């Protein structure tokens, strides 16, 4: 009877340990901080007005359970235009942040590249998100989409 109880407990322990090991890689496969979407072609005519530049943006979402301080993180495109974040924190559990191409006043949900030119190519581009040590965390790519000006990443 004792031997049978020990065998049952040992089998249960192995099953629990196996389920914990197999759960690890699935959560690691999807980064908690990632690109959410991009408005790569500012709606209307490309006039290079600040309003038109700010209608071009890329957004990040944090699906993790901890807020993330973006200080030193970068977003870049294929042509190596680089935006480096200062001290800003993106909230946990679905917090979002938009990076607009033009000029504006930075807030907790919006940052501004302060560029006088469009960053994202309408005919196709790739955005790269890197942490402060330079490790690539995520990418978002698109080609020319007929009739579309944005993409979900």
């Amino acid at each position: 009877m004792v031997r049978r109880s020990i065998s049952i407990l040992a089998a249960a322990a192995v099953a629990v340990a196996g389920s914990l090991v197999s759960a690890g890689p699935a959560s690691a496969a999807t980064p908690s901080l990632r690109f959410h979407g991009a408005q790569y072609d500012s709606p209307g005519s490309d006039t290079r007005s600040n309003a038109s530049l700010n209608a071009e943006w890329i957004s990040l979402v944090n699906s993790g359970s901890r807020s993330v301080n973006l200080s030193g993180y970068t977003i870049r495109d294929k042509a190596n235009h680089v935006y480096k974040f200062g001290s800003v924190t993106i909230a946990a559990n679905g917090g979002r942040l938009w990076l607009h191409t033009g000029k504006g006043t930075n807030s907790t949900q919006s940052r501004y590249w302060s560029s006088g030119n469009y960053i994202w190519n309408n005919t196709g581009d790739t955005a790269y998100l890197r942490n402060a040590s330079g490790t690539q965390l995520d990418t978002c790519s698109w080609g020319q989409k007929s009739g579309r000006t944005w993409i979900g990443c």
Side-chain angles (χ1 to χ4, degrees):
M1 180 76 162
V2 171
R3 200 180 265 181
R4 183 173 172 202
S5 296
I6 291 173
S7 295
I8 292 171
L9 288 173
V14 168
V16 169
S19 69
L20 292 175
V21 170
S22 65
S27 63
T30 303
S32 60
L33 180 64
R34 61 181 173 75
F35 287 113
H36 185 263
Q39 176 79 37
Y40 57 84
D41 183 4
S42 180
S45 299
D46 289 343
T47 61
R48 276 200 232 169
S49 69
N50 196 52
S52 180
L53 289 166
N54 281 333
E56 180 184 86
W57 50 261
I58 194 153
S59 65
L60 297 172
V61 64
N62 179 6
S63 58
S65 59
R66 295 183 183 159
S67 60
V68 177
N69 185 328
L70 297 177
S71 185
Y73 282 52
T74 60
I75 291 179
R76 64 185 69 225
D77 70 344
K78 278 186 176 179
N80 209 31
H81 297 105
V82 179
Y83 178 85
K84 186 174 184 176
F85 287 95
S87 182
V88 62
T89 299
I90 185 167
N93 302 315
R96 284 191 50 196
L97 183 132
W98 286 263
L99 175 59
H100 300 273
T101 297
K103 297 175 183 169
T105 303
N106 289 334
S107 69
T108 56
Q109 290 189 320
S110 292
R111 294 289 152 167
Y112 296 87
W113 204 304
S114 294
S115 175
N117 293 306
Y118 298 98
I119 300 293
W120 308 110
N121 294 324
N122 299 350
T123 56
D125 212 336
T126 300
Y128 304 91
L129 173 64
R130 295 184 181 162
N131 66 16
S133 2
T135 302
Q136 186 170 294
L137 303 178
D138 196 22
T139 62
C140 179
S141 297
W142 59 89
Q144 188 169 9
K145 306 286 185 199
S146 179
R148 290 189 65 188
T149 62
W150 60 271
I151 188 167
C153 300

